[in-house]
Amino acid sequence: MTWEIEYVIILAIIGCSSSSGRALGRVSRRSPWRHFWVVLMIRFDVSPLIPARLGASLTLNVEAGPRCLFDLEVDYLQGAVRVTRVGGGLYLQGTVASQLTLECVRCLTPFSFPLTLGLEETFRLSGHKPHPDMPYAVSENGWLDLAPLLREEI
């Protein structure tokens, strides 16, 4: 299964730390790039499942190093998710481990906070009307982006 990681520059008031700016080189606090986020889009090609019979599935391996998920910086993402063809969409179920580096409110010391995300969501196929039960969609050309779902779960 092919997957693609894509960097997108988004204008923001506060950027992520310099360790996440690898796509742009090192981003220092004095750099003009400090006001931009480097957002990781974790996209998987699920186009073979769109015309497949109901119940067809595949497993996607998620592995990424330090990145920003919109306004959150994660140290890594590791896990596996199973995508199954269901009526009107793709059902995604799996587990992704991650770690955040946070700062203690009391003593301001950074600390690592490991977490495990249990994912269970149905992505609607393109062409289907948005529905409150299916806020996420597969793109017209068959790409599934996990970044918004991961950010919401964190």
Side-chain angles (χ1 to χ4, degrees):
M1 181 53 42
T2 59
W3 62 283
E4 174 180 298
I5 296 178
E6 192 174 288
Y7 293 95
V8 178
I9 307 294
I10 297 177
L11 180 61
I13 296 171
I14 301 171
C16 290
S17 72
S18 61
S19 64
S20 296
R22 291 188 182 151
L24 303 171
R26 296 202 54 83
V27 179
S28 72
R29 299 222 182 260
R30 294 182 181 163
S31 168
W33 292 105
R34 72 183 180 280
H35 297 295
F36 290 85
W37 285 338
V38 178
V39 176
L40 176 69
M41 293 176 63
I42 303 174
R43 297 186 340 155
F44 293 90
D45 181 10
V46 294
S47 59
L49 285 179
I50 294 172
R53 62 176 169 66
L54 297 181
S57 65
L58 55 89
T59 301
L60 308 174
N61 293 316
V62 179
E63 292 197 23
R67 299 290 187 257
C68 284
L69 289 174
F70 302 98
D71 61 339
L72 273 182
E73 186 173 351
V74 296
D75 296 336
Y76 64 87
L77 294 166
Q78 292 177 335
V81 294
R82 185 162 195 80
V83 182
T84 306
R85 178 69 166 94
V86 295
L90 300 175
Y91 177 70
L92 182 135
Q93 183 178 22
T95 305
V96 176
S98 186
Q99 179 173 295
L100 301 172
T101 301
L102 303 173
E103 189 175 80
C104 176
V105 180
R106 199 173 74 204
C107 66
L108 302 178
T109 304
F111 67 95
S112 295
F113 182 75
L115 60 137
T116 302
L117 308 170
L119 303 176
E120 191 171 336
E121 188 68 51
T122 302
F123 283 71
R124 64 182 154 72
L125 298 176
S126 64
H128 285 74
K129 293 183 180 179
H131 190 273
D133 292 337
M134 289 192 271
Y136 305 107
V138 176
S139 73
E140 290 179 6
N141 50 1
W143 289 92
L144 184 144
D145 184 15
L146 282 181
L149 175 62
L150 291 171
R151 172 57 186 102
E152 182 178 322
E153 291 295 320
I154 292 175

